[in-house]
Amino acid sequence: MTALGKLVRSTAFRLTLVYLVIFALYAAALLVYFALNTGRLITEQITETVDDEIAELTEQYTIGSWRQLTTIIENRSLRPGSSLYLFTAPSGQAIAGNVGSLAPGVIDKDGWSETVYRRLDEQETAQHSALVRVTRLSGGFRLLVGRDLEERARMREIIVAAARGSVALVIVMGLAGGFFVARRVLKRFDAVTETTQRIMAGDLSGRLPVTGIGDELDRLAMNLNDMLERIEALMRGLKEVSDNIAHDLKTPLTRLRNRCEAALRSAKSESEYRDALQDMIEESDGLIRTFDALLMIARAESGQARENMTEFDGSEIVHGVAELYEPLAEEKGLTLKVGDSVPAVIKGNRELLSQALANLVDNAIKYARLAPSGEVAAPNGGAAAQKPPSEIVLAAGQERDRVLLSVADRGPGIPEADRARAIERFVRLDHGALEPGSGLGLSLAAAVARLHGGELRLEDNSPGLKVVIALPRVAAA
Ligand SMILES: Nc1ncnc2c1ncn2[C@@H]1O[C@H](COP(=O)(O)OP(=O)(O)OP(=O)(O)O)[C@@H](O)[C@H]1O
Ligand SMILES: [Mg+2]
């Protein structure tokens, strides 16, 4: 398509054309109205003055004689101007006036008529039009008074010329405006098309240009940019996950394979085979758990779980999870209790939130045990050693517009610098490696918090770690 063709086909140009037609029609209607009214006004003025003059002349005739009227008309006929006079005898012969000839029959008809005429002092061929009134006077005399219509005709000409000029101007300016607007809009769309093509070619970092005017195109571009931002983040996440999976699942799979090989090579008795198989089942269970965790994170991050959200009291799941984990904590020599917990209404996916909280309790049980045996030094030194790190406290609280579901332990904690990293997928800190796990527990808790419009906070419990799931509070009905 040629540049001009593209321009002419643009929406902006078409809209301009529509406006152009509307404006041209409007201007034309205005001029027609103006012309009609001016014509009417001029005619009205003529009839009024002619009526007055006839009344005056008739009066002169009545009080004087036809001779006196003749003198008056002769005088008036000599004055320059557009007035016409004709005074005729009963025989039809002209006595006085400045009319040389009239259309036939006009002088015999009483009242108003529009006629062509020639002045007495003009050549035979001259011809003008006039509005005249004829009155019959007593004694058979006739009097014609009229006005030339040249003024009205000239007015019409002026208006027609103005109409032509203004319509032409509207069209020229409209077309020029249309081209200008269309070109500007097209330029911006071309920039958008160019960026989109670059993005389609695989460069996800491209962003649509925003002029900063704040018009609808800008708003559209900003929204699309936000969308691109999100897509890019998702793609990056996807790539990261697949890289992680490839890397982190390779180790347990290799281990599984090596155990099979070792069993085949060295196992002698049935019980040795049994032990080897038992090991493999455990290894496989670990793999399945990792896959389950990954799938759950994916579910939370896709936003699909948003459909299953209900309103409930956050302290309910705190109690539920505490009950579930109490025996396990006790078995490991820890106490698990629910601290202050106030009713706190949230809207969310009960299953995912319970799982997230369970992951935090699982961590607390796993890692809090490490400190007393001295396997891992607490980051804040002596404090942890003095205080027995045996207590895990769950709580449901509120903070302005947030509901806080928290798990606090007295274990080694996580140094400030490592906290952001600990949340990442498959990341296990130094002491984490001493316990079984795949480094996905906190990632899931964070993904669930994000799904609910909240966030996961890792705080210092001095000593120990306090993990908080902060969620938007729902006003209690
Ligand atoms: N309560 C805690 N105290 C001290 N360190 C913790 C605590 N919770 C988590 N961490 C550290 O953060 C790391 C990441 O925790 P995360 O729950 O994500 O993974 P994991 O517990 O190692 O494995 P998974 O939860 O998948 O079984 C852990 O490996 C551990 O080093
Ligand atoms: Mg964990």
Side-chain angles (χ1 to χ4, degrees):
M1 217 189 314
T2 62
L4 187 70
K6 215 162 106 184
L7 212 64
V8 170
R9 274 170 209 228
S10 69
T11 312
F13 190 76
R14 284 177 204 205
L15 268 181
T16 317
L17 276 193
V18 171
Y19 279 123
L20 191 71
V21 170
I22 292 173
F23 276 130
L25 285 179
Y26 177 70
L30 206 68
L31 283 165
V32 167
Y33 174 80
F34 190 57
L36 287 178
N37 267 307
T38 323
R40 196 171 49 85
L41 212 70
I42 291 174
T43 312
E44 248 172 43
Q45 223 165 23
I46 291 175
T47 49
E48 213 169 285
T49 49
V50 168
D51 277 346
D52 286 353
E53 206 169 358
I54 282 190
E56 183 203 340
L57 292 172
T58 312
E59 202 184 320
Q60 293 291 337
Y61 175 80
T62 324
I63 52 174
S65 67
W66 69 268
R67 281 184 202 285
Q68 196 179 335
L69 187 59
T70 306
T71 324
I72 295 173
I73 286 178
E74 271 172 354
N75 277 336
R76 291 200 179 179
S77 296
L78 290 176
R79 289 188 204 155
S82 60
S83 299
L84 298 178
Y85 303 96
L86 184 62
F87 184 41
T88 59
S91 62
Q93 202 199 338
I95 307 171
N98 53 9
V99 177
S101 75
L102 274 172
V106 170
I107 194 71
D108 305 318
K109 199 178 92 206
D110 280 7
W112 290 99
S113 45
E114 228 178 286
T115 172
V116 290
Y117 78 97
R118 174 180 67 81
R119 278 180 184 269
L120 205 54
D121 50 9
E122 285 177 323
Q123 293 174 352
E124 291 284 332
T125 50
Q127 206 178 53
H128 312 281
S129 60
L131 186 62
V132 298
R133 185 182 156 189
V134 177
T135 334
R136 193 149 49 93
L137 303 173
S138 55
F141 291 94
R142 282 178 166 276
L143 173 65
L144 174 146
V145 178
R147 292 283 185 280
D148 189 284
L149 284 178
E150 200 186 347
E151 201 184 338
R152 205 176 76 178
R154 222 180 22 239
M155 199 65 157
R156 262 198 198 137
E157 267 166 31
I158 290 173
I159 287 172
V160 168
R164 268 202 217 113
S166 58
V167 167
L169 197 70
V170 164
I171 289 176
V172 168
M173 287 195 16
L175 282 178
F179 273 116
F180 176 72
V181 171
R183 248 216 6 234
R184 262 179 57 116
V185 173
L186 267 188
K187 238 190 194 158
R188 291 177 65 185
F189 273 111
D190 281 347
V192 171
T193 313
E194 206 177 284
T195 316
T196 341
Q197 271 162 357
R198 228 181 42 232
I199 293 168
M200 282 192 297
D203 175 13
L204 269 180
S205 67
R207 292 292 175 271
L208 304 179
V210 175
T211 57
I213 306 171
D215 61 357
E216 64 279 11
L217 275 184
D218 259 9
R219 283 203 303 277
L220 184 68
M222 283 194 287
N223 277 334
L224 288 175
N225 283 346
D226 286 350
M227 190 179 84
L228 287 170
E229 198 85 43
R230 177 105 178 92
I231 291 176
E232 200 189 4
L234 283 177
M235 292 297 284
R236 217 183 305 119
L238 204 65
K239 189 174 171 309
E240 234 167 65
V241 173
S242 40
D243 287 355
N244 283 339
I245 290 177
H247 182 262
D248 287 79
L249 291 186
K250 211 178 146 207
T251 317
L253 277 174
T254 313
R255 223 166 25 224
L256 194 64
R257 191 199 161 276
N258 290 347
R259 287 203 181 162
C260 290
E261 204 179 18
L264 274 182
R265 201 162 354 107
S266 58
K268 305 264 172 349
S269 63
E270 193 193 314
S271 73
E272 276 175 357
Y273 274 115
R274 266 185 186 286
D275 286 349
L277 282 175
Q278 193 60 44
D279 276 357
M280 286 170 216
I281 287 175
E282 265 166 36
E283 195 75 53
S284 310
D285 280 348
L287 272 172
I288 291 169
R289 267 198 305 278
T290 304
F291 269 114
D292 281 346
L294 277 174
L295 285 177
M296 214 180 263
I297 293 176
R299 201 154 70 100
E301 285 190 338
S302 72
Q304 250 175 25
R306 236 172 240 136
E307 285 157 24
N308 274 331
M309 289 198 177
T310 50
E311 276 185 26
F312 58 90
D313 182 355
S315 65
E316 273 172 31
I317 56 171
V318 168
H319 283 285
V321 171
E323 224 164 85
L324 201 68
Y325 277 85
E326 221 173 337
L328 182 68
E330 212 166 297
E331 200 178 291
K332 310 248 170 178
L334 300 161
T335 46
L336 193 155
K337 64 171 201 177
V338 177
D340 312 327
S341 90
V342 293
V345 183
I346 45 180
K347 185 171 186 216
N349 185 308
R350 201 186 266 265
E351 183 208 348
L352 284 177
L353 279 170
S354 300
Q355 184 61 55
L357 208 61
N359 285 359
L360 304 184
V361 175
D362 179 64
N363 281 352
I365 293 175
K366 265 199 306 201
Y367 303 115
R369 255 171 357 108
L370 295 176
S373 63
E375 286 178 67
V376 172
N380 39 6
Q386 286 155 19
K387 251 190 177 176
S390 59
E391 197 174 68
I392 298 168
V393 182
L394 274 71
Q398 290 192 5
E399 172 210 84
R400 269 171 290 136
D401 58 338
R402 296 266 162 184
V403 164
L404 310 177
L405 308 180
S406 63
V407 177
D409 64 52
R410 293 284 178 194
I414 301 179
E416 174 114 44
D418 286 337
R419 283 182 199 155
R421 202 162 63 85
I423 294 178
E424 283 172 24
R425 260 177 285 227
F426 292 113
V427 170
R428 313 197 67 205
L429 304 177
D430 298 341
H431 53 272
L434 299 170
E435 291 287 329
S438 47
L440 290 172
L442 290 179
S443 309
L444 176 68
V448 169
R450 269 200 306 275
L451 170 76
H452 289 81
E455 73 271 339
L456 187 76
R457 303 179 191 157
L458 302 190
E459 294 167 2
D460 205 335
N461 199 32
S462 343
L465 186 73
K466 181 176 179 185
V467 188
V468 182
I469 303 177
L471 302 170
R473 183 153 67 124
V474 177

